Structures are given as structure tokens and as C-alpha cells.
């Protein structure tokens, strides 16, 4: 403890004691499981292959939160459950999204003695107008906006992934405070798991764009995938102050390295001045001239036929 003396004019000297900050309360390990294949996953995949016959009848009458698992999804859930039993210590708390496909997956993990809490903040990203849209119904203008906006894209009436991160923050504040030095399991959705990655690894929007190009391969979060974060060094058992190791496994995958991947050490990203300038430099200035010169119209560096952006601020 530190002490300091404060002397007030005409008053006796008083001593104030400054208490040290208590250590931060943090989870020891967080394990996230993506639900197994859902009826919506199946309908969307088949529509992408040219068969949209499943977008009909009762399927179109239900909200996406009420989709069930397919037979394949139930197998993926059971495989994830076996993987957890073989590779994880006992969990101190069990949480699930309120969406039926996550609740069904949770039950089929078959974790002995589990008592599940259904948590609204674990829900899927809100896709708004895209919720029941076939792949060919996603208007080209919206798709173009998605590619341009990346992390900040939200379909009409829906959520951006950046907004999902805010839900993750609320959830983490609660879990860290309630379960310090404990292990928690959450069954949820792929977009939520990406939001956890962005938060823990402190990835920026440019890195997210880069990772989106490889997500179909190395970084993809399949149905039934397990994503783990821990403070405990897998080699020594010593606990770090914050999450330092991650593991992304797909229990039902044909590749052994996907089923049993090694732990990866990571550090949340931070940037030097030169790092920031290097990232910024990947996006050249749109205009060559300085807007600070009175009366100067900036000359676009884009070819004239592509320059349809107008003046800054003209389009709100």
C-alpha cells in the first residue's frame, strides 16, 4: 500500500491510504461449440447448388431461430460431445443460445450432469432481410455493399459483425465476474464465434478482410466445430493473466489435423506507429490534390470512368 500526506491550511495533517487495485477476475478457459448442421444450413447449401425446393411451406413460415438439426447435424453434435469428453476437463458452467439448433446440439453433446442456461446474447447474428433469402435473392447491390463494408456490413434490419462484438463484450463481462478461474462451455453460432475471435485476438477490420479469403480452408468454423481459449499453458500448466492459447477443432472432419489440431499461442494485436502506417498504406489516397487549398478540386487517382464517388459528404 502507498500512503500520502495532504496538508490543508489551518488544519492538521491527514494521511490518505491508496488501496492497490485488486487483480482482474478472469475465466480460466472458454470453449465454444458451433451447432450441428441445421435445416437452414441444408436449404441454403442446396439452393447454392441450384435446388431451392426446400425454401417452401413450413420452412418459410418459421423464424430461423426455430430451425432444427438435420440427421447430419445430430451426428456432428454427438461427435463434438465425444471430442469434448476426450479433450476437455470438467466444465463449471454450461450456456447455450436460445435458438433450437443450438439447444438441440447442447443436449446431444451428452455431457453428464450438465445444467444449461439459455442465454439470449449467445444468439445468431441477426441477418435482417437476408434471414430467409435464397442465395440468388441477395440483391447484387447488397452483396456489393457487403464486400465493401466487410466487418461493418449489416443487411437491412440486421446486425453487423461489429455489433455482435458488443454482445460478446457484455457476455464476457458477466462470465469473467461470475466464473473467475473456471471453465465455461457455450454452444452457439459461427458468427458469434468469429466475434469472439475478433475480440480475443484484437483483429482489425483489415485483418478480418484478409482472413475472410482463407476462411473456407484453414480458418473455417464448420458445423460442430470446437473453438477453445485458455489462460493455462498447455505445456506447463501455468496460468497467464489473459487468454494466450487457442485451438480450433472439427471433430467430424476427415483430416486428422482438423480433428486434433495443436494449441496455438497468440498475443492480442497491438501496433507501432510504423505498423499503423503500413496498414493504412494498403489503401492509396483517392485524391491527389490537397483539399486544404482554397478552391481546389481534388483530382481522383482513379480512372475517370471509375470515379463515381462524388465529392466527400455529398452522399451523406
Amino acid at each position: 500500500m502507498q500512503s500520502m500526506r495532504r496538508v490543508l491550511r489551518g488544519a492538521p495533517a491527514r494521511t490518505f491510504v491508496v488501496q492497490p487495485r485488486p487483480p482482474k477476475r478472469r475465466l480460466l478457459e472458454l470453449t465454444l461449440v458451433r451447432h450441428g448442421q441445421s435445416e437452414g444450413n441444408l436449404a441454403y447449401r442446396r439452393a447454392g447448388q441450384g435446388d431451392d425446393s426446400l425454401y417452401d411451406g413450413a420452412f418459410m413460415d418459421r423464424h430461423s431461430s426455430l430451425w432444427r438439426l438435420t440427421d447430419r447435424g445430430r451426428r456432428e453434435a454427438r461427435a463434438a460431445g465425444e471430442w469434448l469428453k476426450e479433450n476437455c476437463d470438467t466444465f463449471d458452467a454450461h450456456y447455450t443460445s436460445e435458438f433450437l439448433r443450438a439447444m438441440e446440439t447442447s443436449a446431444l453433446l451428452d455431457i453428464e450432469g450438465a445444467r444449461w442456461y439459455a442465454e439470449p446474447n449467445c444468439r445468431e447474428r441477426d441477418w435482417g432481410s437476408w434471414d430467409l433469402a435464397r442465395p440468388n435473392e441477395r440483391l447484387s447491390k447488397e452483396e456489393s455493399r457487403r464486400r465493401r463494408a466487410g466487418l461493418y456490413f449489416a443487411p437491412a434490419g440486421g446486425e453487423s459483425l461489429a455489433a455482435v462484438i458488443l454482445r460478446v463484450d457484455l457476455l464476457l463481462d458477466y462470465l469473467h465476474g461470475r466464473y473467475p478461474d473456471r471453465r465455461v462451455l457455450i454452444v452457439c453460432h459461427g458468427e458469434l464465434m468469429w466475434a469472439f475471435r475478433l475480440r480475443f485476438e484484437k483483429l482489425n477490420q483489415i485483418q478480418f478482410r484478409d482472413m475472410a479469403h482463407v476462411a473456407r480452408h484453414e480458418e473455417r468454423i464448420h458445423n460442430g466445430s470446437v473453438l477453445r481459449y485458455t489462460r493455462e499453458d498447455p505445456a506447463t500448466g501455468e496460468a497467464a493473466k489473459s487468454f494466450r492459447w487457442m485451438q480450433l477443432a472439427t471433430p467430424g472432419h476427415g483430416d486428422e489435423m482438423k480433428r486434433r489440431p495443436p494449441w496455438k499461442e497468440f498475443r492480442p494485436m497491438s501496433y507501432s506507429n510504423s505498423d499503423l502506417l503500413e496498414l493504412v498504406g494498403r489503401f492509396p489516397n483517392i485524391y491527389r490534390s490537397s483539399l486544404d487549398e482554397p478552391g481546389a478540386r481534388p483530382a481522383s487517382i482513379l480512372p475517370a470512368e471509375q470515379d463515381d464517388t462524388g465529392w466527400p459528404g455529398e452522399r451523406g
Side-chain angles (χ1 to χ4, degrees), residues 92-111:
D92 299 293
H94 309 78
Y95 283 81
T96 178
S97 161
E98 292 188 319
F99 284 28
L100 296 190
R101 55 191 182 271
M103 295 172 69
E104 189 172 6
T105 298
S106 300
L108 293 176
L109 295 178
D110 194 28
I111 297 176

Side-chain angles (χ1 to χ4, degrees), residues 114-179:
R115 298 295 299 174
W116 294 93
Y117 296 97
E119 170 54 51
N121 278 327
C122 294
R123 68 187 182 275
E124 171 64 295
R125 175 181 178 181
D126 187 344
W127 288 104
S129 61
W130 279 14
D131 191 46
L132 288 173
R134 299 169 176 83
N136 61 2
E137 291 175 337
R138 296 187 172 186
L139 300 178
S140 59
K141 184 177 180 180
E142 282 286 272
E143 181 62 24
S144 174
R145 190 166 67 86
R146 182 190 68 80
R147 291 195 300 269
R148 186 170 66 253
L151 182 64
Y152 305 110
F153 168 74
E159 266 183 315
S160 68
L161 192 53
V164 178
I165 295 174
L166 299 180
R167 282 202 271 123
V168 163
D169 287 342
L170 289 173
L171 192 56
L172 285 173
D173 283 346
Y174 173 78
L175 294 176
H176 281 313
R178 187 172 178 83
Y179 304 104

